[in-house]
Amino acid sequence: MKRLPLITPHPPRLSALAEGLARIEESGIYSNNGPVLRAFEAEATERLFGGQGACLAVANATLGLMISLRDAVSDGPAGRFALMPALTFAATAQAAWWAGLTPLVCDIDADNWAAAAEEEEELLERYGAQIAAIVPYATFGYGIDLDRYRWLSNRFGVAVVVDAAASLGTTDAAGTGFGAGAPFPVVFSMHATKPFATQEGGLIHCADSDRIERLRAMANFGFTAPRTATLPGLNAKLPEAMALVAQARLQDFAAVSRHRETLASAYRTRVAGRYVTQARRPGQQALGFFPLLLPSERTHERDAIIARLAEEGIGAGKYFSPHLGEQPWIRSIAHVEQTPVADMVGGRLLSLPLSDAMTTDDVAHVVATLDRVVARRSRPMAVSTPPVAETMIIGGGPAGTAMLTAASRHGLLPELSRGLVIVERDSAIGGGQLGRYAITSDSTAQTFLSAIENNPDRAIATLTDHPAALAVARHRASLGVPLAEVGPLLRAIGDRLHASVTAQGGTVLTNTEALSARRKDGLWHVRLRDGATHNDSERVARNLVIATGGHQPLDRLVTQTVAGVPLMEIAGNRLLQSDSVLARGGFEMVADLLSQKRSPRVAVIGGSTSALTTVALLLRERPALPFGAGGITLLHRRPLRPFYHSVEAAHADGFTDFGPGDICPVSGFVYRLAGFRLEARELVLRMLGIDGRSPEPRVALHRVAGDEDQVARDILAEADLVIAALGYRPRALPLEESDGRAVPLAAHTGAPMVDDACRIRNATGAPIPGLYGIGLAAGFVPHGRLGGEASFVGQANGLWLWQNDVGMMIVDQLLAGRTRAAA
């Protein structure tokens, strides 16, 4: 039986090598400037890149990336980012780190599997000068758009170094080699596993010949004069003998590339309609193997499928799985964004053999065998039932991990972790959805930093020097922190919490969604779904903590009335919800909707922080919208109250609109819970004219005076856009009794989901045993030693509360219950 290994290197003819080695032996030249090496570089420039620019051969592609990045970014502030896609080889991130950069890992495009363009541009906008370089990867030899990277480099002032490891042999429709004439370094691999197969080596191409010469010096210890280092350098020289191998490979490479393209075309024809393959571009794509995606329902059997193919004599692999964001060391030093597409693609990728020695008949055999193997169902394996968990936290976002942070701050995380299961539908815990908002926080930078400073958990405490913490710390004197910068810090904390929990015997299930929970025999039976395989499973826990966040349900708009009139009736298709406006791209959406209005009018409904933040966003963003006097009207029912740290501070500002019931007895704060803070507070102070401030002329306030308020109706009817900022409802997990009947919750009636001990309440208001809630829209109101003004009506949310008193309230109950059970 013919064996078809996944990787089959094919070196050049031995006779040609022998002749060349003899010439090298006679000349005695082995340096990186030897005649064979320079001849290869010149011939590669001509044959592979149409004579454009220049080439430098190096010992391997990783060293090529390292010196190219080091040259591109030069010296600069520590902690700067190198933006790269998740689906690439570890060397991409390793090279950036060795060059003094922090990898910033983004998601990929679902079609071509390279970096997602919209993700790259959003991160460049978000991080600005913090990003020093972009390191795009030409995935599996795919010819990514280098003109676009030239544009990004010019627009954002960032360096570009292209990781084109597998792309020697990729051409455009005219037959020009990928990277020809690029103004930045394009780094290729000549490793034995690549289409341009030598034993080892790399090639850097660039249109800038001066840069190539500078890189040549860096590859030779930074020497620009005999034994004199004037540049940062290392030893990245390609030996003359390896240059000889590469030069010999050039002679037949055009034919090799055509043959590989024939095999790739045969693969695409054979798998069409049954397997997903990478998108195509005009021209030829260099391929060291043929990648495709397994059907999603068979993903969990990928290792078994690879093993069965091996039994049939066919080598297969799973490049690149795990991707960068799933590799422990890289996660510890990098910023990893949400990568749902990379998670999906990486989880389903299968690499099939494609070599110089194969024929189209071999391709047919491989695909037929794959079809047969995939069609076979694995025998059901005996799966041991997981032990009953002490506690399961549903939701690993800011609220769920804040509870863990609270435990860590009191040295209780190890105890809590034993028997703990965390379920999170994203690929990592910690970040949640905060990073998707284009606004500043209503918490200070210190609120976020207090979670890590002096934390007894050393792994968390050392985050104070992490680039994400340093980015937040820059806003200590600001009115809040851009949430886009808060997200990376919360994800970094989440990574450390993940490691701490699992080290103590806990379990973290990412890419997993909790579908429902059934109460049976005093335990919670939770149905889970794996996001990669779509397989369902069940876990059992004594206690559940629901931390699934809140949302603005559309059905609320249907029943909502303002001034006695149905909101949908009076606003119609002019109605938006504040959540979509505050998200990234929300301002642009509003600007587009109002683009034909010379003097637009917007009505914002609500008296919450999200309502005031919406108004502030519309005023702050650029290019400015052409609002005239009173162009934005805020319709609210309750008085707008600013927060003050003390009665004295309020009086010093000339603010006296408060009484004893508005002062927190614990902290002495005025309107501790009901008062607006930071950016929203500044806007309220202006609009109320506190301490002689001038009101913002573009904003008008209207306090709705009941169901017969005709002025409010007129404002809504005449507005070009109506934005509803009506607060959030909990995204509660469906709960069932043992017989399948739904458990009615207080939250279903619009009442707070939890009681004063964070226990989730049923429809009658009674707490449900073993069930707790925390986070946005849970409805918790501080009381007693937690403080808060007696006049407060509503619910209190905030990361500081969750990371401190509220989080510990749940932790204490869980650990006390465990102690009672043990006794």
Side-chain angles (χ1 to χ4, degrees), residues 410-670:
H410 289 78
L412 295 173
L413 185 58
E415 184 179 355
L416 179 66
S417 297
R418 289 189 285 274
L420 178 67
V421 176
I422 303 170
V423 178
E424 170 55 39
R425 60 181 179 181
D426 286 333
S427 60
I429 65 172
Q433 298 298 308
L434 278 183
R436 66 181 282 267
Y437 292 101
I439 56 174
T440 57
S441 67
D442 59 355
S443 300
T444 64
Q446 188 56 38
T447 295
F448 301 107
L449 296 173
S450 65
I452 58 179
E453 293 174 344
N454 301 315
N455 194 302
D457 189 319
R458 178 168 173 74
I460 297 174
T462 55
L463 282 173
T464 53
D465 295 326
H466 192 283
L470 296 176
V472 170
R474 286 198 296 269
H475 298 277
R476 286 186 189 272
S478 305
L479 294 177
V481 186
L483 291 181
E485 296 188 26
V486 170
L489 176 59
L490 295 182
R491 281 191 290 275
I493 295 172
D495 288 344
R496 302 296 170 90
L497 290 170
H498 184 145
S500 294
V501 167
T502 53
Q504 297 297 329
T507 301
V508 180
L509 302 175
T510 55
N511 294 310
T512 303
E513 184 173 6
L515 303 178
S516 62
R518 178 171 291 190
R519 183 168 53 181
K520 183 178 179 181
D521 300 327
L523 301 174
W524 292 102
H525 296 250
V526 185
R527 188 159 64 95
L528 305 175
R529 176 163 295 167
D530 186 297
T533 66
H534 305 294
N535 287 342
D536 289 357
S537 61
E538 184 179 275
R539 290 255 184 168
V540 182
R542 300 186 192 282
N543 302 289
L544 289 187
V545 179
I546 308 298
T548 47
H551 66 135
Q552 292 183 334
L554 289 173
D555 57 2
R556 177 175 181 176
L557 299 181
V558 177
T559 59
Q560 183 69 41
T561 62
V562 178
V565 179
L567 181 57
M568 292 290 292
E569 178 181 309
I570 197 169
N573 59 9
R574 296 173 291 121
L575 182 62
L576 296 176
Q577 297 214 76
S578 61
D579 198 64
S580 62
V581 175
L582 298 176
R584 294 197 305 264
F587 176 80
E588 290 76 10
M589 173 184 65
V590 170
D592 182 61
L593 292 171
L594 299 177
S595 61
Q596 304 303 313
K597 305 296 181 181
R598 179 173 296 180
S599 183
R601 290 167 298 180
V602 174
V604 178
I605 308 169
S608 64
T609 295
S610 60
L612 270 295
T613 303
T614 299
V615 174
L617 177 76
L618 297 179
L619 296 174
R620 183 186 66 238
E621 288 298 305
R622 296 290 182 270
L625 296 174
F627 290 119
I632 303 174
T633 302
L634 179 69
L635 294 94
H636 58 102
R637 288 194 175 93
R638 296 173 186 165
L640 303 179
R641 305 299 194 191
F643 163 83
Y644 280 97
H645 281 98
S646 66
V647 171
E648 293 75 19
H651 286 165
D653 222 9
F655 182 72
T656 59
D657 189 13
F658 60 92
D662 303 318
I663 302 170
C664 172
V666 175
S667 65
F669 294 165
V670 178

Side-chain angles (χ1 to χ4, degrees), residues 129-433:
Q130 289 179 261
I131 297 179
I134 313 174
V135 192
Y137 175 59
T139 313
F140 306 142
Y142 182 85
I144 57 177
D145 185 355
L146 297 186
D147 286 337
R148 177 177 164 274
Y149 285 102
R150 186 198 312 254
W151 173 75
L152 289 176
S153 178
N154 292 335
R155 178 184 173 190
F156 293 98
V158 295
V160 175
V161 173
V162 180
D163 184 344
S167 300
L168 274 178
T170 293
T171 66
D172 61 17
T176 304
F178 174 73
F184 32 69
V186 182
V187 183
F188 302 88
S189 174
M190 302 187 299
H191 187 265
T193 59
K194 299 298 186 288
F196 192 96
T198 64
Q199 185 177 357
E200 184 57 278
L203 189 69
I204 305 173
H205 174 74
C206 184
D208 185 349
S209 57
D210 290 339
R211 176 174 291 194
I212 289 293
E213 289 309 308
R214 192 165 62 247
L215 294 174
R216 187 183 304 281
M218 293 176 69
N220 187 31
F221 306 103
F223 293 163
T224 57
R227 300 287 175 176
T228 305
T230 60
L231 295 170
L234 41 70
N235 184 3
K237 301 187 299 292
L238 183 74
E240 281 278 278
M242 290 311 305
L244 182 66
V245 175
Q247 190 176 37
R249 187 63 167 166
L250 272 176
Q251 309 312 310
D252 63 355
F253 188 57
V256 167
S257 297
R258 287 193 298 271
H259 177 64
R260 283 175 173 261
E261 182 62 25
T262 298
L263 297 178
S265 295
Y267 263 122
R268 293 185 188 101
T269 300
R270 293 277 179 179
V271 303
R274 300 191 308 288
Y275 305 95
V276 175
T277 58
Q278 191 177 18
R280 290 279 291 141
R281 289 196 71 176
Q284 183 173 277
Q285 181 174 346
L287 285 170
F289 47 80
F290 189 81
L292 52 76
L293 302 188
L294 288 171
S296 60
E297 68 273 13
R298 307 306 304 280
T299 305
H300 64 291
E301 294 188 65
R302 180 172 59 176
D303 288 343
I305 288 170
I306 291 173
R308 292 180 200 139
L309 289 172
E311 292 171 359
E312 300 273 359
I314 296 171
K318 48 184 181 182
Y319 297 99
F320 296 106
S321 179
H323 63 64
L324 290 186
E326 297 169 328
Q327 298 182 36
W329 182 81
I330 291 171
R331 288 196 65 85
S332 73
I333 57 95
H335 277 347
V336 181
E337 292 290 315
Q338 299 295 319
T339 57
V341 179
D343 299 344
M344 180 276 291
V345 171
R348 293 171 57 189
L349 267 171
L350 184 72
S351 307
L352 299 175
L354 193 159
S355 69
D356 299 0
M358 285 178 61
T359 67
T360 53
D361 287 342
D362 292 329
V363 169
H365 170 64
V366 170
V367 176
T369 306
L370 176 65
D371 286 342
R372 178 161 40 83
V373 166
V374 168
R376 285 172 52 192
R377 291 284 175 179
S378 295
R379 293 180 181 178
M381 298 179 61
V383 179
S384 58
T385 303
V388 175
E390 283 294 331
T391 300
M392 182 181 294
I393 300 176
I394 308 296
T401 52
M403 194 183 91
L404 303 179
T405 300
S408 74
R409 287 163 59 87
H410 289 78
L412 295 173
L413 185 58
E415 184 179 355
L416 179 66
S417 297
R418 289 189 285 274
L420 178 67
V421 176
I422 303 170
V423 178
E424 170 55 39
R425 60 181 179 181
D426 286 333
S427 60
I429 65 172
Q433 298 298 308

Side-chain angles (χ1 to χ4, degrees), residues 79-83 101 104 120 122-134 156-159:
R80 290 185 301 165
F81 295 124
L83 176 57
L101 300 173
L104 175 58
E120 288 179 313
E122 188 277 320
L123 291 171
L124 286 164
E125 291 278 5
R126 186 199 307 176
Y127 288 103
Q130 289 179 261
I131 297 179
I134 313 174
F156 293 98
V158 295

Side-chain angles (χ1 to χ4, degrees), residues 676-728:
F676 291 100
R677 300 182 183 228
L678 303 177
E679 186 179 44
R681 177 179 184 271
E682 288 301 308
L683 183 57
V684 169
L685 290 174
R686 288 192 65 184
M687 298 313 301
L688 297 181
I690 302 298
D691 197 28
R693 291 173 173 84
S694 298
E696 165 58 61
R698 294 170 292 175
V699 179
L701 302 180
H702 180 78
R703 188 173 177 187
V704 180
D707 289 348
E708 303 303 323
D709 190 335
Q710 186 60 46
V711 174
R713 296 176 187 176
D714 292 342
I715 292 170
L716 293 172
E718 295 168 5
D720 299 305
L721 203 62
V722 177
I723 301 173
L726 303 172
Y728 291 82

